């Protein structure tokens, strides 16, 4: 079994797993970072969204062998203290119902806000269309992204 | 509502328990509200089954019911805290495990949690408060009547004495807590009716382990179960050589018609299960959607089992000036909880520990008992937070998987389903159809109403207490049931989730045929039900009228600007009244939903922010499934198995949803489901207003030219 050296949430970590193991399962089963969720396994629901060198990716569909020295940030590393603007906004708007998809939603939203500090509704549609919320908390997700933009820019 | 409490539930406060707070799974089950600086708790006293108090005055409230996203882990403890008069900041909420001795109705279904436990929760807080006040009265030698509670303290204002609850525990130990005490007047509520955010917020936002899929223990193995690909198929043989040779694979286990691969990690068992070579015996009668639809249509032409009959409907139809007739059709739906089915079991010779996402922990326990032969007191069940329920986790098939495997191997086992496993081994919303007839007299009055239902494995799908029954002199409801190998079950607001669309669309058809405004037509019917009720009437016509008028007022019904088309619908279920006005516009001949204005009467709203979230979510759930949802079958096999083939509503398609609650002080009723039911009809009726076409088959447009109706996005 090959050994992979990964940089996750700014820490070096090593795992011995098969090369086709998706990053998602490395995070969840081998690194005990279970905040990243499994929903579909085919990059259709966004529950497994993490940042790879700052870009949002679906970790269920990226094998560990493709990570190399790129930096992985998961929900556990989105902020040191749980106070990233999207986390503050998510709390302020009371977004979650079941909460299962929200880590993926927040990772997509954080990546959007980095690229577009003042996203329009159309920007949100484009950036967040890949993240399913089965509870359909979408109205609050949209509102929270606008709120997070204000927090980030203030 | 029964106010009587089982005395066993309310133990006399006995003695201070030493040591700290004991909770089974701190990481999974605890959640702490921000606390003001105060000395750390060093001892806790169990006051009753629902709460314990620390020597520093903090309170832990045990939330009995499963949390599936409906918000009961926040709202149920709020009710206890209200009567205890403890500030929310001093409350920590924990999930109670299955405890048949101390809790009743420890399940999540039918939007019943708050409704059934309302008085029990209140009494739990109020009796504890009574004991603390009595203790203070004894301590200070003052009458109870001179004491008040405020901010977690008992106060005697005349003598300027006060003590926080923790300081009264020892004195309270000698107080007999009565079964019933006076409850607050709802007008004095301080916490109920205020916005309290999800108690699990911090843990959700930082990715803490909360859900069943997150649960692990040392030595645990993962298992993926392969089930028959077609409903009705059986297991013939398994060649597991290739799977067993793969890395990380420890066992291959057979039980029933299933085969499980057991190994060290999720990915290894997912892969190895694909390498199993399983031979199946094909189902003797492979079922298909084509066959189901044809059989349902055939049965709609035949008399079914009579479910309600008022007056003489046959004669009324013969004498009618005009008869309106229409049929409505719905497909199977998978639940698609975003967290796929999973469950943990550790069976030993004399115990079974079950942990996971279940809406029915008692059923999980009984399932384990029947498989293992263990006794009730040898089985424990802990509920994790659930990544959605929608009815799917009322069933125990995934519990059976985990228990069967662990029973054979005597190892801690975590069963995980892939999305494909989950979508193709469901307990689906059954497929069903309705045929309606309405008789109008020459003045456009509704004189007779006939509803015939038929389902595939869905039981009788007429609802004899639904509107317009009770408002019409002559009513006939009859139905058929088709048996099937396809497993079906409760799907958010069972039967109502499509009956709401069918009935409230048909009522709209009748109103138009009678030349009346659809809102006024409904209000007139409800006046009939109020003034001249026919047969049994369970809905309160006044409350129906109340929500209709509120929705109409908030949506400025009838005053929409040119180009904006409105549709109205009303539904009563789960003891809750919901009316909606949908507005849409046509852009390039395609409808876009502008907004849904909703009025809800569910009595007292415990937690408005959570309640609005439920109402908005259920409406969007209903609309999404009405436009997109369908699971079809061929050769007994589901034809869709993941989200690349099965469409769910996404953020670009979501219209605004405005929520208005009727303000009253009636006991609260259900809210996890009822707002779903009228939404599809409100939209369908607005579509009729816009297009002149009637939409009777879901997913919408399935019976029309492709592209005729597309839900493409919001307006504004």
């Amino acid at each position: 079994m090959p050994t992979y050296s990964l940089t996750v949430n700014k820490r070096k970590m090593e795992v011995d797993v098969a090369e086709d193991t998706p990053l998602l399962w490395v995070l969840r089963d081998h690194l005990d970072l279970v905040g990243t969720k499994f929903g579909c396994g085919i990059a259709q629901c966004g529950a497994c969204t993490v940042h790879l060198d700052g870009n949002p990716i679906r970790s269920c569909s990226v094998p560990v062998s493709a990570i190399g020295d790129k930096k992985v940030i998961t929900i556990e590393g989105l902020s040191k203290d749980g106070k990233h603007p999207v986390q503050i906004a998510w709390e302020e708007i009371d977004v979650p119902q079941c909460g299962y998809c929200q880590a993926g939603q927040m990772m997509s939203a954080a990546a959007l806000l980095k690229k577009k500090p003042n996203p329009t509704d159309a920007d949100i549609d484009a950036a967040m269309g890949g993240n399913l919320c089965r509870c359909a908390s979408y109205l609050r997700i949209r509102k929270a992204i606008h709120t997070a933009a204000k927090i980030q820019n203030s | 509502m029964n106010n009587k409490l089982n005395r066993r539930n309310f133990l006399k406060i006995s003695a201070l328990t030493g040591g700290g707070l004991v909770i089974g799974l701190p990481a999974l089950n605890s959640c702490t509200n921000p606390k003001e600086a105060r000395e750390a708790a060093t001892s806790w006293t169990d006051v009753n089954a629902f709460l314990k108090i620390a020597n520093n005055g903090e309170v832990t409230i045990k939330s009995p019911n499963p949390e599936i996203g409906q918000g009961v882990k926040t709202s149920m403890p709020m009710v206890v805290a209200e009567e205890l008069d403890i500030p929310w900041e001093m409350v920590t909420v924990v999930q109670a495990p299955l405890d048949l001795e101390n809790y009743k109705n420890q399940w999540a279904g039918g939007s019943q949690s708050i409704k059934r436990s309302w008085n029990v929760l209140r009494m739990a807080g109020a009796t504890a408060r009574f004991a603390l006040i009595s203790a203070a009265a004894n301590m200070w030698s003052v009458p109870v009547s001179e004491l008040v509670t405020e901010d977690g303290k008992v106060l005697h204002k005349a003598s300027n004495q006060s003590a926080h609850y923790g300081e009264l525990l020892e004195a309270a130990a000698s107080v007999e807590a009565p079964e019933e005490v006076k409850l607050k007047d709802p007008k004095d509520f301080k916490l109920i009716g205020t916005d309290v955010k999800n108690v699990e917020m911090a843990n959700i936002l930082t990715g803490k382990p909360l859900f069943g899929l997150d649960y692990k223990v040392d030595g645990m193995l993962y298992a993926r179960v392969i089930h028959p690909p077609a409903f009705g198929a059986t297991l013939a043989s398994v060649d597991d050589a290739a799977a067993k040779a793969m890395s990380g694979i420890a066992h291959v286990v057979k039980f029933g018609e299933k085969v499980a691969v057991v190994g060290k990690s999720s990915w290894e068992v997912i892969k190895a299960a694909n390498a199993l070579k399983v031979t199946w015996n094909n189902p003797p009668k492979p079922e298909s959607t084509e066959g189901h639809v044809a059989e349902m249509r055939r049965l709609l032409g035949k008399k079914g089992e009579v479910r309600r009959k008022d007056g003489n409907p046959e004669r009324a139809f013969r004498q009618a000036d005009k008869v309106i007739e229409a049929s409505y059709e719905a497909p199977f739906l998978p639940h698609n909880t975003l967290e796929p089915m999973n469950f943990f079991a550790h069976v030993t010779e004399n115990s079974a520990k079950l942990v996971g996402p279940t809406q029915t922990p008692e059923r999980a326990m009984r399932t384990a008992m029947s498989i293992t032969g263990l006794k009730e007191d040898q089985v424990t069940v802990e509920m994790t937070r659930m990544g959605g329920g929608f009815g799917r986790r009322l069933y125990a098939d995934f519990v059976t998987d985990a228990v069967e495997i662990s029973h054979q191997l005597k190892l801690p086992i975590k069963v995980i389903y892939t999305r494909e496993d989950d979508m193709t081994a469901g307990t689906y919303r059954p497929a069903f159809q309705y045929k309606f007839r309405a008789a109008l007299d020459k003045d456009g009055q509704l004189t007779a109403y006939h509803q015939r239902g038929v389902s595939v494995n869905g039981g009788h799908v007429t609802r004899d207490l639904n509107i317009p029954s009770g408002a019409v002199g002559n009513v006939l409801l009859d139905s058929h049931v088709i048996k099937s190998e396809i497993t079906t079950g409760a799907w958010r607001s069972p039967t109502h989730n499509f009956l709401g669309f069918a009935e409230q669309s048909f009522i709209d058809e009748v109103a138009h045929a009678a030349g009346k405004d659809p809102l006024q037509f409904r209000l007139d019917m409800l006046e009939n039900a109020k003034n001249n009720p026919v047969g049994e009437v369970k809905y309160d016509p006044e409350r129906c009228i109340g929500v209709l008028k509120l929705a109409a007022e908030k949506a400025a019904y009838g005053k929409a600007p040119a180009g904006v088309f409105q549709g109205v619908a009303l539904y009563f279920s789960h003891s809750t009244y919901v009316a909606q006005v949908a507005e849409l516009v046509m852009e390039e001949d395609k409808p876009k939903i502008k907004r849904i204005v909703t009025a809800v009467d569910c009595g007292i709203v415990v937690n408005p922010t959570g309640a609005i979230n439920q109402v908005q979510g259920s409406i969007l759930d209903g609309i999404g499934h009405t436009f997109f949802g369908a699971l079809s079958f061929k050769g007994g096999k589901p034809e869709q198995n993941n989200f690349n083939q099965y469409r769910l509503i996404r953020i670009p398609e979501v219209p605004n949803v405005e929520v208005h609650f009727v303000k009253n002080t009636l006991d609260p009723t259900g809210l996890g489901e009822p707002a779903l039911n009228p939404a599809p009809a409100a939209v369908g009726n607005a579509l009729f207003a816009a297009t002149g076409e009637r939409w009777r088959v879901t997913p919408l447009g399935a019976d029309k030219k492709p592209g005729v109706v597309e839900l493409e996005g919001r307006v504004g």
Side-chain angles (χ1 to χ4, degrees):
Chain A
M1 201 90 80
T3 300
Y4 294 94
S5 178
L6 305 173
T7 309
V8 181
N9 299 334
K10 300 184 178 163
R11 284 170 53 202
K12 283 263 182 217
M13 297 179 173
E14 286 201 344
V15 286
D16 296 325
V17 292
E19 63 179 6
D20 63 351
T21 309
L23 176 60
L24 166 71
W25 295 114
V26 172
L27 294 170
R28 291 188 55 85
D29 286 2
H30 303 276
L31 301 178
D32 275 344
L33 294 167
V34 296
T36 305
K37 299 304 189 212
F38 169 66
C40 69
I42 57 167
Q44 295 290 308
C45 77
C48 66
T49 306
V50 300
H51 296 173
L52 193 63
D53 276 353
N55 297 312
I57 58 145
R58 312 300 183 206
S59 64
C60 72
S61 299
V62 178
V64 65
S65 57
I67 304 298
D69 55 7
K70 294 194 184 77
K71 293 177 181 59
V72 178
I73 298 288
T74 70
I75 185 69
E76 291 91 344
L78 181 62
S79 65
K80 265 193 226 148
D81 49 3
K83 299 290 178 203
H84 186 282
V86 302
Q87 288 167 316
I88 297 170
W90 248 246
E91 172 159 10
E92 189 178 317
I93 306 298
D94 192 24
V95 174
Q97 289 184 36
C98 85
Y100 192 79
C101 73
Q102 299 296 349
Q105 302 279 1
M106 288 187 287
M107 295 310 283
S108 292
L112 165 66
L113 288 169
K114 210 184 256 178
K115 252 194 222 160
K116 299 199 169 171
N118 291 299
T120 62
D121 279 340
D123 293 332
I124 293 173
D125 286 347
M128 303 299 293
N131 286 81
L132 284 176
C133 174
R134 180 64 183 82
C135 305
S137 65
Y138 295 119
L139 290 162
R140 288 192 176 184
I141 290 171
R142 182 183 302 282
K143 201 169 167 191
I145 293 172
H146 287 306
T147 303
K150 278 185 207 133
I151 295 167
Q152 181 180 271
N153 299 337
S154 68
Chain B
M1 181 72 72
N2 183 8
N3 257 343
K4 272 274 180 212
L5 289 162
N6 184 338
R7 181 167 277 272
R8 283 181 309 166
N9 292 0
F10 291 83
L11 300 173
K12 192 172 78 167
I13 297 173
S14 51
L16 292 174
T17 55
L21 167 64
V22 182
I23 43 176
L25 292 156
L28 272 175
N29 283 344
S30 77
C31 43
T32 310
N33 289 305
K35 305 241 175 334
E36 51 189 77
R38 76 173 62 81
E39 275 190 33
T42 53
S43 69
W44 288 84
T45 300
D46 284 314
V47 177
N48 58 42
F50 291 87
L51 65 100
K52 54 175 129 190
I53 301 179
N55 60 337
N56 69 348
E58 289 176 11
V59 174
T60 293
I61 300 180
K62 297 176 210 173
S63 190
N65 285 27
E67 172 62 64
I68 55 177
Q70 83 282 43
V72 293
K73 196 173 174 184
T74 308
S75 56
M76 294 180 88
M78 281 176 72
V79 180
V80 179
E82 175 68 67
E83 292 287 348
L84 182 61
D85 242 348
I86 186 84
W88 189 245
E89 299 71 41
M90 291 174 71
V91 173
T92 298
V93 176
V94 297
Q95 175 73 58
L98 175 67
D99 181 346
L100 293 173
E101 194 177 332
N102 281 310
Y103 306 118
K104 286 184 177 152
N105 302 308
Q106 215 180 354
W107 41 271
S111 297
Q112 295 289 303
S113 293
I114 288 284
K115 179 174 183 278
R116 282 181 186 259
S117 295
W118 173 243
N119 277 339
V120 173
L121 294 166
R122 292 181 76 189
M123 209 53 87
T127 50
R129 178 178 166 275
F130 177 91
L132 295 162
I133 286 187
S134 303
N138 292 344
M139 235 163 68
W140 300 331
S141 302
V142 296
V144 163
S145 60
E146 290 180 12
L147 295 172
V148 293
T149 50
E150 224 173 83
D151 290 339
K153 290 181 189 138
V154 180
L155 308 174
H156 185 244
K157 290 189 172 165
S159 65
N160 205 22
Q161 297 189 84
S162 86
H164 70 61
Y165 290 169
E167 294 167 320
L168 295 166
L169 290 168
E170 206 166 336
S174 57
V175 175
E176 179 87 19
E179 290 184 0
E180 286 189 42
V181 297
K182 193 165 178 291
L183 298 169
K184 281 187 180 177
D185 185 323
K187 75 174 168 32
D188 297 325
F189 285 163
K190 290 181 213 157
L191 184 62
I192 287 173
T194 64
D195 288 336
V196 171
K197 286 166 186 165
N198 195 316
V199 287
E200 217 76 76
M201 184 69 76
N203 292 328
I204 291 170
L205 300 187
T206 54
K208 295 288 185 299
L210 289 170
F211 299 91
L213 204 63
D214 304 341
Y215 180 82
K216 342 178 153 171
V217 294
D218 287 343
M220 181 181 94
L221 293 179
Y222 294 82
R224 180 182 169 209
V225 179
I226 297 298
H227 61 260
F231 286 89
T234 53
L235 181 62
S237 65
V238 187
D239 172 359
D240 59 10
K244 271 185 166 165
M246 292 173 73
S247 79
I249 301 308
H251 308 274
V252 173
V253 173
K254 281 193 274 183
F255 59 95
E257 306 299 334
K258 296 176 170 181
V259 189
V261 173
V262 182
K264 278 196 247 169
S265 73
S266 304
W267 180 244
E268 285 167 319
V269 299
I270 289 171
K271 265 203 308 187
N274 292 336
L276 284 174
K277 294 189 183 74
V278 188
T279 312
W280 306 97
N281 301 312
N282 285 332
K285 284 187 202 158
E287 298 176 44
S288 70
T289 293
E290 212 182 348
H292 290 147
V293 169
E295 180 62 2
M296 285 192 282
R297 286 177 183 166
R298 187 183 73 79
L299 286 172
L300 284 183
K302 295 190 172 298
K303 277 184 190 166
E305 186 181 312
V306 174
R307 311 295 293 174
R308 176 167 180 151
K309 191 171 178 183
D310 296 323
N312 189 338
E314 294 84 1
R315 190 178 61 200
F317 275 107
R318 277 199 307 274
Q319 294 172 350
D321 185 62
K322 198 188 234 181
V323 174
I324 303 106
E325 195 175 303
S327 297
Y328 286 75
E329 303 185 358
F332 287 95
L333 296 179
H335 293 82
N336 279 328
T337 59
L338 202 55
E339 179 193 17
M341 295 306 105
N342 65 84
F343 212 75
F344 171 87
H346 189 188
V347 180
T348 68
E349 291 303 332
N350 51 20
S351 72
K353 177 180 179 177
L354 310 182
V355 183
T358 171
Q359 293 177 241
T360 51
E362 185 179 350
R363 179 182 276 190
M365 180 194 75
R366 306 232 173 265
T367 298
M369 287 164 59
S370 97
I371 293 168
T372 61
L374 290 166
K375 303 273 183 301
E376 200 172 303
D377 61 0
Q378 295 174 303
V379 181
T380 60
V381 186
E382 293 171 37
M383 291 155 275
T384 59
R385 190 176 186 82
M386 283 166 248
F390 311 107
R392 179 64 182 88
R393 299 187 211 273
L394 292 167
Y395 305 96
D397 48 324
F398 48 90
V399 177
T400 298
D401 293 346
V403 173
E404 286 274 11
I405 299 165
S406 183
H407 184 47
Q408 286 194 32
L409 300 174
K410 296 289 184 289
L411 291 168
I413 297 294
K414 171 71 160 295
V415 162
I416 58 165
Y417 280 38
T418 63
R419 176 58 54 194
E420 290 82 0
D421 300 337
D422 186 282
M423 211 184 289
T424 57
T427 47
Y428 308 112
R429 195 279 297 269
F432 51 132
Q433 297 188 355
Y434 294 100
K435 183 177 173 185
F436 297 93
R437 287 190 303 151
L440 294 175
D441 66 14
K442 60 181 175 14
D443 302 321
Q445 294 293 321
L446 178 60
T447 55
Y449 173 77
H450 177 202
Q451 175 189 113
R452 178 172 292 156
V454 54
S455 78
V456 181
N457 249 9
H460 292 282
V461 289
T462 55
R463 285 294 171 267
D464 54 329
L465 299 171
N466 270 19
I467 303 159
S469 291
V472 188
N474 304 289
V475 168
L476 175 63
L477 308 184
D478 65 339
S479 69
H480 301 274
V481 180
I482 298 170
K483 289 232 161 45
S484 162
E485 292 288 344
I486 297 167
T487 47
T488 58
W491 192 106
R492 196 178 203 173
S493 206
T495 302
H496 303 297
N497 56 41
F498 179 68
L499 181 55
F501 173 73
E503 263 177 6
Q504 285 292 307
S505 298
F506 183 67
I507 292 295
D508 219 66
E509 296 198 49
V510 177
H512 283 283
K516 296 191 177 157
D517 173 81
L519 172 66
Q520 193 56 48
F521 188 74
R522 285 173 174 81
L523 292 171
D524 292 346
M525 280 199 318
L526 292 162
E527 288 295 333
N528 284 346
K530 193 169 81 181
N531 301 322
N532 303 299
V534 182
E536 190 181 3
V537 181
K538 268 279 171 69
Y539 55 87
D540 178 344
E542 279 296 354
R543 293 178 83 180
C544 293
I545 291 168
V547 289
L548 268 174
K549 287 191 170 168
L550 181 59
E553 177 209 323
K554 297 291 182 184
Y557 178 84
K559 295 173 200 142
V564 175
F565 302 93
Q566 293 177 319
V568 66
L570 162 75
Y571 206 78
F572 169 67
S573 71
H574 307 87
S575 313
T576 293
Y577 300 79
V578 187
Q580 287 158 1
V581 175
E583 287 185 349
L584 58 79
V585 298
M586 299 299 286
E587 283 183 8
E588 295 170 357
D589 288 337
K590 292 198 173 151
K592 291 195 175 186
I593 305 173
K594 191 167 176 240
R595 62 171 180 164
I596 312 280
V597 179
T598 307
V600 180
D601 181 351
C602 60
I604 292 167
V605 179
V606 175
N607 184 14
T609 176
I612 290 167
N613 221 350
Q614 287 307 304
V615 171
Q616 290 181 328
S618 45
I619 288 170
L620 298 174
D621 190 3
I623 291 174
H625 279 91
T626 301
F627 273 90
F628 309 131
L631 189 72
S632 58
F633 290 84
K634 202 171 182 179
K637 297 178 186 175
E639 292 189 289
Q640 297 78 28
N641 69 12
N642 207 326
F643 300 131
N644 55 339
Q645 303 159 334
Y646 189 96
R647 189 171 171 189
L648 289 168
I649 193 166
R650 291 174 184 266
I651 200 166
E653 296 127 10
V654 167
N656 286 326
V657 178
E658 297 173 23
V659 183
H660 304 278
F661 291 102
V662 172
K663 288 186 177 55
N664 60 40
T665 53
L666 300 169
D667 283 357
T669 55
L671 205 56
E673 298 166 275
L676 182 151
N677 304 319
V683 171
N685 295 339
L687 268 172
F688 174 79
T691 64
E693 275 201 73
R694 196 44 81 172
W695 306 78
R696 302 189 184 98
V697 177
T698 61
L700 286 190
D703 58 336
K704 301 185 196 293
K705 287 194 304 252
V708 170
V709 52
E710 284 178 26
L711 188 56
E712 282 194 332
R714 292 168 327 286
V715 178

